[in-house]
Amino acid sequence: MKVIGLAGNPNTGKTTVFNLLTGSNQYVGNWPGVTVEKKEGFFELNGEKIKVVDLPGVYSLYAYSIDEKIARNFIVNENPDCVVVIVDASNLERNLYLVLQILELGKKVVVALNMMDIAKERGIEIDHETLSKILGVKFVPMVASRGEGLEELKTAIKETMAGEAFSFRMDYGKLEPYIEKLEKCIPETSFPSRFVAVKVLEGDPEFMKKTESEEIESVIEEVKKEIDEPESYVTERRYAFIHGLVRECTRKKPGIEDKLNVSDMLDRVLTHPLLGIPLFLFFMWLAFQIIFKIGSPFADILDRAFGWFGEIVGNALSRMGAPYLLISLVKEGIIAGIGSVVVFVPNIFLLFLVFSFLEDSGYMARAAFVMDRLMHVVGLHGKSFIPMLLGFGCNVPAIMATRTLESEKDRILTILINPLMSCSARLPIYVLFASAFFPAHQGWVVFSLYFLGIVLAVLMGRLFKNVFFRGESPPLIMELPPYHIPTWRNVFMPAWTRTKLFLKKAGTVIFAGVVVIWLLASLPPGVEYGSEESLIGLLGKKLAPVLSPAGFGFWQAAVALIFGIVAKEVVVGTLGTLLGGEEMLREALKTHFTPLSAYAFMVMCLIYIPCIASIATIKQEAGWKWAIFSVVYSLVLGWVVAVLIYQIGKIF
């Protein structure tokens, strides 16, 4: 089977072209060894099945980010039959930089000149035939959002795969003699020797490590005697060539540059230094309302449906004379486990739907741009603010939303602090305890917990940044694409494929976790489910002394916290089951808690171990190492802060 790779800068319409080529014949996974999303699909070309791999959006092939390494290594090591580079025709000079680098790898290339309609609106006329002659590769004009140019692109792919790769040779002027010297002493790799020589002169850390030798260092020293910064010289030579190429092959209608287009007018407001952040927060608030106001009723329906289904199956098995353990396994384990997965689906699907809409419209790039300066105070990227905000609704989709972050370090750091955002599942705990112990100040108490979560996220973000991810965050460099009306295909398909991915991966881990807790609550045989004599009750009694310094050292509190790992709302249900009916719960709590220990307990519920769904999603997005670390650090932090609040509170 022949394979083609889709490459290009972010926001050039690469996803649109991928969807056009593959339709519904696509699936999502992860690249081997990393957590960056990998999309693959298939289409037929003259009866032959062609595999399409959608590479991460990158601006260059310099090994600065994991995305760039993935794109570069795929092109070289996987040796695709053709690389299709999607470029924004309205921003040709910036986009051709990546095209030149891929051509230097000596691969068969087709360039899709996308967004030709926007280029025409800006008065830009492109002579794509002259571009093809100069660079030796086919340039195909397209308007992918309307499906224009698709057949021409397929024809170009077919002809390019059948032909020979064009040997493109960039002239680096003064560096040419040194490039020839380096080629002779560079050890053999899977990359072309000239490409490696240029990368060494650029100071690419990956190639510097691969080619360390005294001979190469001697050549580099010679270069630096003549050119102070060879890496800057390489970049300047490329852009000089591109500038001349664009001048030769494009023409701009006079007077067009003096007019403001719609995108420019919108950006004057949406990226304004004073109005940008309030408007961004408003849009995020609106997205939050859509995701959780619309999604919650569907989630409630699913929750009731699984509860109803569990009762029916449980009663049916009981009438059939099935053993109690089998009934409990099916009802509390399997059905409840599957239900705990499915109940997240409406919110997750709406989250990805809204994100796809904002991204395809061109606004998401502006959101990151507006928030970048503020988030750098925390040591994070501007895009990190969006998943953190969504964490107030539910940590699961918020953690999954970190996929919008290009940097793996920023993604993991944001994932680690996201569970400190008070999700809606914690609110029933806050309301119960605040109404029981602080009836006159319920609003302030609940607000203080939300505020505490934000403060702790900032502090832990700074700590993790200094300990695990030292070094400056990369600057936020991105194109601001023109605004346009999103297409249904580009909004719906990514939302649906990512929702299926959640069900497939996170769902299995959640299900396994729920079954384990069922076993602990049901054994040894004959005990009441979740009672003091059950394994979970015995475990609660073992853990209770550890919680005594925080003011709630009794086994029911320990069991409630254990069950709270399944879902934070379960803390309230567990306390109701163990301490009395719902109507008596507030009075029962007062016999076990004081106002101070109640506040410490709420703080513990805020901070300690994320729910199983969050842990599963952290594992899915960042791996077991960070999932385990998240469990351990949050448990220790929750205990320490709860103890400090209780012990210091007793003094005063």
Side-chain angles (χ1 to χ4, degrees), residues 154-346:
K154 289 181 177 179
T155 301
I157 291 172
K158 177 187 174 185
E159 292 175 357
T160 300
M161 287 194 299
E164 296 293 327
F166 177 72
S167 181
F168 176 79
R169 186 183 179 90
M170 178 73 202
D171 183 6
Y172 289 104
K174 296 179 184 178
L175 287 177
E176 284 298 329
Y178 302 107
I179 291 173
E180 291 179 12
K181 285 184 181 180
L182 286 171
E183 282 188 87
K184 293 175 182 176
C185 55
I186 281 174
E188 187 175 340
T189 68
S190 56
F191 294 85
S193 60
R194 181 177 173 83
F195 180 86
V196 176
V198 173
K199 283 295 166 190
V200 169
L201 291 173
E202 284 186 286
D204 189 309
E206 185 176 335
F207 287 94
M208 295 292 283
K209 288 179 183 177
K210 288 181 179 178
T211 58
E212 285 181 335
S213 71
E214 291 183 6
E215 196 174 359
I216 290 173
E217 286 178 10
S218 175
V219 175
I220 293 173
E221 286 176 10
E222 284 183 53
V223 173
K224 289 184 177 179
K225 288 177 183 177
E226 184 175 355
I227 302 171
D228 290 334
E229 297 180 349
E231 61 275 11
S232 299
Y233 183 81
V234 168
T235 304
E236 288 168 5
R237 291 290 299 187
R238 286 196 188 117
Y239 273 118
F241 174 79
I242 292 170
H243 183 69
L245 182 65
V246 171
R247 286 191 64 181
E248 178 70 24
C249 302
T250 64
R251 187 173 70 87
K252 196 163 187 178
K253 293 180 180 179
I256 295 291
E257 64 274 10
D258 299 325
K259 298 178 182 178
L260 277 175
N261 57 46
V262 175
S263 290
D264 292 332
M265 289 188 287
L266 286 172
D267 279 340
R268 283 192 168 186
V269 178
L270 296 176
T271 61
H272 190 275
L274 296 178
L275 296 176
I277 291 179
L279 285 171
F280 167 72
L281 294 177
F282 169 74
F283 288 132
M284 288 299 100
W285 173 84
L286 190 61
F288 179 89
Q289 296 301 314
I290 292 171
I291 292 164
F292 296 102
K293 292 294 184 184
I294 296 178
S296 293
F298 290 101
D300 292 340
I301 291 170
L302 286 172
D303 193 27
R304 288 195 295 270
F306 274 91
W308 170 79
F309 182 62
E311 288 296 327
I312 288 180
V313 173
N315 292 335
L317 288 172
S318 180
R319 287 194 298 269
M320 293 167 62
Y324 168 77
L325 277 179
L326 176 61
I327 297 172
S328 181
L329 171 62
V330 173
K331 184 179 174 182
E332 276 96 14
I334 297 174
I335 295 176
I338 295 173
S340 68
V341 176
V342 176
V343 76
F344 286 109
V345 170

Side-chain angles (χ1 to χ4, degrees), residues 31-48:
W31 290 90
V34 296
T35 59
V36 176
E37 191 176 274
K38 177 183 184 180
K39 287 195 293 185
E40 295 182 356
F42 302 91
F43 74 99
E44 285 195 5
L45 189 61
N46 293 340
E48 184 179 8

Side-chain angles (χ1 to χ4, degrees), residues 398-569:
I399 292 166
M400 295 183 77
T402 59
R403 290 181 178 182
T404 60
L405 308 178
E406 288 85 5
S407 165
E408 185 186 19
K409 291 181 179 179
D410 284 347
R411 185 162 57 249
I412 293 174
L413 183 54
T414 307
I415 286 171
L416 290 178
I417 65 174
N418 202 291
L420 295 173
M421 301 292 102
S422 275
C423 67
S424 58
R426 294 177 173 98
L427 193 58
I429 305 171
Y430 301 161
V431 172
L432 172 66
F433 279 83
S435 61
F437 294 96
F438 311 99
H441 305 287
Q442 293 181 55
W444 281 104
V445 168
V446 174
F447 171 78
S448 70
L449 291 163
Y450 277 79
F451 183 74
L452 178 62
I454 294 170
V455 171
L456 288 172
V458 171
L459 294 176
M460 298 311 293
R462 288 302 307 171
L463 176 63
F464 295 153
K465 181 76 174 177
N466 293 333
V467 174
F468 300 118
F469 310 114
R470 290 180 181 177
E472 293 294 321
S473 294
L476 183 62
I477 302 172
M478 61 166 59
E479 305 292 342
L480 295 182
Y483 295 97
H484 63 272
I485 298 173
T487 63
W488 175 246
R489 176 184 287 271
N490 287 349
V491 171
F492 180 81
M493 287 194 66
W496 176 238
T497 53
R498 290 172 180 175
T499 302
K500 286 193 296 183
L501 183 66
F502 167 78
L503 286 169
K504 182 180 178 181
K505 289 191 173 180
T508 54
V509 179
I510 296 170
F511 172 78
V514 170
V515 171
V516 168
I517 289 177
W518 169 83
L519 283 171
L520 293 174
S522 301
L523 297 175
V527 300
E528 184 182 350
Y529 180 77
S531 67
E532 184 177 355
E533 289 75 27
S534 68
L535 292 180
I536 202 83
L538 297 173
L539 179 61
K541 287 193 289 186
K542 293 287 185 182
L543 293 176
V546 179
L547 301 174
S548 292
F552 41 90
F554 53 97
W555 76 267
Q556 291 93 337
V559 169
L561 291 172
I562 293 170
F563 274 98
I565 299 171
V566 179
K568 299 303 179 186
E569 312 94 306

